[in-house]
Amino acid sequence: MGKLTADFLLERLAENGVRRIYGYPGDGINAIIGALERHKDKLQFVQARHEEMAAFMACAHAKWTGEVGVCLATSGPGAIHLLNGLYDAKLDHQPVMAIVGQQPRMGLGGNYQQEVDLVTLFKDVAHDYVHMATDPAQIRHLVDRAHRIALARREVTCIIVPNDLAAEPAEEEPPREHGSVHSGPGYTPPRVLPPQGQLEKAAKILNEGKKVAMLVGQGALNATDEVIEVAETLGAGVAKALLGKAAVPDDLPFVTGAIGLLGTKPSWTLMKDCDTLLMVGSSFPYSEWLPKPGQARGVQIDLDGTMLSIRYPMELGLVGDAKETLKALAPMLERKEDRSWRQRIEHEMEEWWRLLEERAMQSADPINPQRLFWELNKVLPKDAIVSADSGSAANWFARDLKLGRGHMASLSGTLATMGPGVPYAIAAKFCHPKRPAVALVGDGAMQMNGMAELITVKKYFHQWDDPRLVVLVLNNQDLNQVTWEQRALQGDPKSPITQDIPEVNYAAYADLIGLKGVRVETPDEIEGAWDQAFSADRPVVVDALCDPNVPPLPPHITVKEARAFITALRKGDPDATAVIEQSFKEKILEFLPGR
Ligand SMILES: Cc1ncc(C[n+]2csc(CCOP(=O)(O)OP(=O)(O)O)c2C)c(N)n1
Ligand SMILES: [Mg+2]
């Protein structure tokens, strides 16, 4: 058998630097599956339980490495399953490439089995580059371009390969004739720096400010030193959007942590009272948590010019790489001699950490979820990679988890979909097998997909240098985040029909499938559970029975939210008494003497 188009497809991916493909088989990609076996020395195939998980893993691969994450699925149903994971990548601007099968060319348009119009289906998620190969000679440029466009534009791209075409002889060198295309592989990132005059303008605005606030996002993840230096000079406080949580360490006194409903009170003060805003590599979506338009002069730095001035009307928007731009800007900035603004922020932050600790130590029935995160801070390995799912876990991840230098952390920042917690952690183990991974996940997300994906963990953990992958399950038998949103935003009481979820013993399930399960039923078991998890010789599920009535209190409650909340409880919330009691305990801490 000579080289097939499927073989060449994989070889060309490898030539572009791809080392791993996350996916799930099907007969729409039969030839590619055969070729994967022949090329296993060059390209590793990671088999997920579901194509959506493969797409989450590809997205996480991009987040954890900066490389293109590649996922593979069969025609029709497999391709459709990829979509949510691909949208996660699209919305968080990650370079991801999907390869999907299609029915044989001669049957297309024939209402054939599993025939789905895949170009149309993927046209939104991979809007810049979705193409179906109809000739083997296309494969070379389809792969080169899909890979390069994903990186250059930080987008999702997609190539569709009919199964008969993949089984045809490879055509590595297209004919040298009119109409053919001769592409090459590879991509070298540019240095993106605003012109000198623009940097000077930015420096002037920042130098004129007396109370500077910084907001950093995922664009600043590789600019830790530069963000710190600029913040020091400007006497600024630094708030972090969720995707930028690992950009600057939480132990710096002027870092105010998360912003928004999931955020901290000092971040709110920072935005409410600043006179100048410097936003770096963030598209944090909620304008109401930024300064009032007109209140502050704004400077924004973003690699992508289309993301400038969309959340706050900036006085100056600079297209530039965060690290390069801040480095060039730093020498032009004057050190603020009046440090009172900075001191105020630092003082608030000190208070805030104290409050969080007190909230974490409040009793609950049985476990206060904040305490799990608080205790985790003490034992989180220095090189851990942390993922969180959408749900109440994202609240505690945002607020209570303290990250240091060297940690990596992510979640579905913009799509905010349920489901990525476990697959992101799996991808972390493949990308960095020597580092421990930690997934912080709700029981709803475990039931939706996390439990199935633990089987993938079982399948592969023997291959990882360090077997530690720890999944914390917030077992509250509730779709808790939405229950609270119903109460505080909608004024509706908890509705058991939609919100209660079935009881599952996740620790026993972990044991059943060959992982280790640790059940946490009382607060005094928390510390021991984390110790066991990080010293185990295999992946561990920490199954913690959490109180769903611990309120994920926003940094400040608006009158409207408070009214809605009271109305919800009055309308016969089944947990009203416990909710009031727990909210009172948490809130009253802010008013105790000494605050
Ligand atoms: C795919 C998807 N479906 C629904 C939602 C809406 N949603 C956001 S958080 C949440 C509840 C999650 O429950 P769980 O995983 O148990 O976490 P908890 O909040 O209870 O800790 C839901 C339903 C979503 N974000 N994504
Ligand atoms: Mg839950």
Side-chain angles (χ1 to χ4, degrees), residues 138-471:
Q138 284 175 279
I139 290 297
R140 174 166 143 178
H141 68 259
L142 289 185
V143 171
D144 291 348
R145 297 207 68 212
H147 188 268
R148 189 161 36 234
I149 290 170
L151 279 175
R153 304 210 178 121
R154 303 190 60 81
E155 281 178 348
V156 175
T157 57
C158 174
I159 60 180
I160 302 161
V161 186
N163 62 9
D164 61 320
L165 182 130
E168 284 195 358
E171 200 166 338
E172 297 184 56
E173 192 63 45
R176 192 165 153 71
E177 63 185 45
H178 188 66
S180 72
V181 169
H182 293 257
S183 67
Y187 174 74
T188 319
R191 180 182 187 208
V192 188
L193 196 60
Q196 185 68 12
Q198 299 290 311
L199 289 167
E200 283 163 14
K201 260 192 192 167
K204 185 163 183 292
I205 296 170
L206 297 168
N207 286 336
E208 282 169 7
K210 296 208 164 20
K211 295 185 284 180
V212 183
M214 289 176 72
L215 171 60
V216 302
Q218 64 165 331
L221 284 175
N222 70 342
T224 306
D225 289 328
E226 292 75 13
V227 170
I228 294 171
E229 188 190 345
V230 167
E232 283 288 7
T233 310
L234 294 175
V238 183
K240 302 186 284 187
L242 273 185
L243 289 173
K245 183 164 172 83
V248 272
D250 284 302
D251 60 0
L252 293 174
F254 53 88
V255 171
T256 63
I259 176 171
L261 262 184
L262 277 55
T264 71
K265 190 138 173 265
S267 291
W268 169 243
T269 307
L270 191 63
M271 295 299 147
K272 182 171 65 71
D273 292 345
C274 70
D275 62 15
T276 310
L277 172 66
L278 172 58
M279 200 157 134
V280 185
S282 173
S283 62
F284 171 74
Y286 307 120
S287 295
E288 74 273 26
W289 293 91
L290 296 176
K292 277 200 190 103
Q295 170 200 321
R297 301 176 72 185
V299 176
Q300 185 182 356
I301 301 167
D302 205 290
L303 196 54
D304 178 354
T306 66
M307 300 306 287
L308 292 172
S309 234
I310 56 174
R311 309 296 186 218
Y312 185 82
M314 296 288 168
E315 186 170 330
L316 182 64
L318 302 178
V319 179
D321 168 76
K323 190 181 182 74
E324 294 283 350
T325 308
L326 290 176
K327 211 190 266 178
L329 194 59
M332 301 177 197
L333 299 176
E334 292 155 11
R335 187 183 151 84
K336 304 248 181 274
E337 294 310 331
D338 179 356
R339 307 300 277 187
S340 54
W341 164 246
R342 162 71 75 96
Q343 281 157 5
R344 185 179 147 205
I345 297 298
E346 289 190 1
H347 178 69
E348 271 205 30
M349 208 50 215
E350 239 173 76
E351 282 292 302
W352 176 258
W353 283 123
R354 248 201 303 276
L355 173 67
L356 280 195
E357 177 165 19
E358 285 173 20
R359 281 188 187 170
M361 292 306 155
Q362 282 296 314
S363 59
D365 184 18
I367 309 268
N368 178 341
Q370 295 163 106
R371 179 133 174 210
L372 290 160
F373 286 69
W374 199 259
E375 299 288 339
L376 174 61
N377 286 333
K378 299 178 188 160
V379 291
L380 186 68
K382 287 200 175 345
D383 55 348
I385 304 177
V386 185
S387 64
D389 219 281
S390 300
S392 71
N395 279 289
W396 318 127
F397 165 87
R399 255 188 236 146
D400 294 78
L401 189 70
K402 288 189 187 180
L403 293 184
R405 252 178 200 270
H407 281 136
M408 284 199 262
S410 202
L411 39 54
S412 173
T414 320
L415 186 62
T417 177
M418 284 170 75
V422 179
Y424 270 32
I426 294 173
K429 294 303 299 182
F430 281 104
C431 298
H432 304 283
K434 294 197 172 93
R435 300 178 65 160
V438 181
L440 309 164
V441 187
D443 49 358
M446 287 307 287
Q447 293 179 16
M448 189 177 263
N449 64 325
M451 291 178 77
E453 221 48 50
L454 287 178
I455 299 169
T456 305
V457 174
K458 166 63 173 57
K459 178 175 157 87
Y460 288 112
F461 82 84
H462 294 289
Q463 297 181 14
W464 302 330
D465 298 331
D466 179 333
R468 289 177 300 173
L469 184 159
V470 180
V471 179

Side-chain angles (χ1 to χ4, degrees), residues 489-503:
L489 303 176
Q490 200 67 29
D492 281 338
K494 172 176 172 173
S495 141
I497 304 172
T498 59
Q499 300 312 107
D500 284 349
I501 58 171
E503 185 180 356

Side-chain angles (χ1 to χ4, degrees), residues 442-444 474 476-480 501:
D443 49 358
L474 301 180
N476 52 23
Q477 292 180 45
D478 183 28
L479 299 174
N480 196 234
I501 58 171

